[in-house]
Amino acid sequence: MWKEECRKMDPVVGSGRIITAPLITEDGEPIHDPLNILEANPDKGLAASVPESGQKTETSTELSYSASSNSSASEEMESTSHPPLEKKVIQWKLTLHQIGLDVVRTDRTLVFYEKQEHLSKLWDILAVYAWIDKDVGYCQGMSDLCSPMIILLEDEADGFWCFERLMRRLRGNFRCTESSVGVETQLSNLASITQVLDPKLHQHLETLGGGDYLFAFRMLMVLFRREFSFGDALYLWEMMWALEYDPDLFSLYESESAAEKGEGSKGKAKSSRQCGKYERENMKNKAKSSEAPLPISVFLVASVLKAKSSKLLTEARGLDDVVKILNDINGNLDAKKACSGALKLHKKYLKKAKQ
């Protein structure tokens, strides 16, 4: 239903194509650029310009001629049949080309995305999500989170709903204001953890001007998709969510009516045995602390910093060096070791925090 609603606002949705160039201005006026018109026309356009292997592409002269022949007709239709766009529609349409640009860069080393149909499926899901989540919309990084759903689940609706549920957990990271980004809270927590567990490293990072820990921004935003290989990233996600498992989380995935019906049936207090290992430690600490538990992802970043502590202390002479050292780990981390390290640091942090 939502996809059909979006298709009526922009026919490229569901057409098997994607948009990679802006189609309207911030005032909602169409941009009459030949290539843009081709992208907006799903029957004759190129949208995304990712040809299949062996497929002949049109020359720029042919493209310009084709676009010019459509241009006057397109302008006439817009002036006679389209009322001014609502603000929310303009906002949504302005994100479509940005989604397209991110989609063609996402997991581009994977053979799976050599097929246009898979690129368009990823674009469709993100375009529809941007429409239904009016508060956050689309932000860079969401394509990295959505991509595994497309690869693992053949049905597009299944992929959409898995991504939508994942965003219920993570959308706070993408919530931005003029003065802050949602993930900044986790970066602040990371600074506090490092200060407690490795004060020497924390002091060194502060001296280099990295006390805000923005160099760890990407790890938290896209849940280590760039730091681990594709397979290891999925393995890491499974372990993280198993370690954090709490049976009460199920209520987040129920419909409101189902949740209301279930409220009266909640009798027994949950047993710690029902929870993941990480959550069990948090449950022990809840009785002694009023602070909300931190997500395991923050301790995973802390474990990465701990593993690279010696190198950061001896080789980092500026923030560029910090970023370079951390970028060198991309695709080379071990998911199981990272989770094991995060659990150890979590236990140690809770112990020191009590003292």
Side-chain angles (χ1 to χ4, degrees), residues 22-45:
L23 299 178
I24 62 170
T25 66
E26 292 187 1
D27 298 325
E29 296 298 318
I31 297 174
H32 297 298
D33 180 276
L35 288 177
N36 289 12
I37 292 167
L38 282 170
E39 290 211 341
N41 188 331
D43 297 317
K44 299 178 183 178

Side-chain angles (χ1 to χ4, degrees), residues 205-310:
L205 292 171
E206 279 207 321
T207 304
L208 298 179
D212 52 12
Y213 284 67
L214 282 173
F215 52 80
F217 181 90
R218 189 183 69 189
M219 294 187 205
L220 294 168
M221 283 291 276
V222 298
L223 286 185
F224 307 94
R225 275 297 322 277
R226 312 281 177 84
E227 284 68 37
F228 291 84
S229 66
F230 183 80
D232 273 357
L234 300 190
Y235 184 51
L236 178 74
W237 286 9
E238 291 280 4
M239 285 198 294
M240 283 170 58
W241 296 333
L243 289 166
E244 285 184 314
Y245 180 71
D246 175 348
D248 289 347
L249 283 173
F250 183 69
S251 62
L252 292 175
Y253 306 118
E254 293 179 304
S255 66
E256 287 182 18
S257 57
E260 284 167 10
K261 286 177 187 175
E263 277 181 13
S265 61
K266 290 179 185 175
K268 298 179 186 176
K270 67 184 175 190
S271 164
S272 63
R273 288 184 181 181
Q274 296 173 287
C275 299
K277 195 172 181 180
Y278 181 82
E279 181 59 21
R280 287 202 295 270
E281 288 295 327
N282 282 331
M283 286 176 72
K284 288 179 195 174
N285 192 56
K286 272 178 189 174
K288 301 164 186 175
S289 173
S290 58
E291 293 181 10
L294 301 175
I296 195 172
S297 54
V298 179
F299 286 95
L300 278 163
V301 180
S303 75
V304 170
L305 294 179
K306 186 75 176 168
K308 293 292 176 183
S309 180
S310 177

Side-chain angles (χ1 to χ4, degrees), residues 102-128:
D102 289 345
V103 161
V104 296
R105 290 192 292 249
T106 301
D107 290 327
R108 60 183 180 274
T109 59
L110 300 181
V111 176
F112 180 83
Y113 283 116
E114 288 179 5
K115 289 190 175 180
Q116 172 72 19
E117 63 187 277
H118 297 148
L119 288 169
S120 63
K121 189 188 288 188
L122 179 57
W123 185 82
D124 281 348
I125 287 177
L126 292 168
V128 174

Side-chain angles (χ1 to χ4, degrees), residues 309-345:
S309 180
S310 177
K311 196 167 187 178
L312 288 166
L313 287 168
T314 56
E315 297 180 20
R317 295 291 174 264
L319 281 181
D320 287 345
D321 294 331
V322 174
V323 172
K324 184 178 182 302
I325 290 167
L326 294 179
N327 279 345
D328 286 344
I329 66 175
N330 287 4
N332 297 314
L333 286 177
D334 182 281
K336 194 171 183 180
K337 282 183 181 176
C339 275
S340 178
L343 285 173
K344 287 176 184 174
L345 289 182

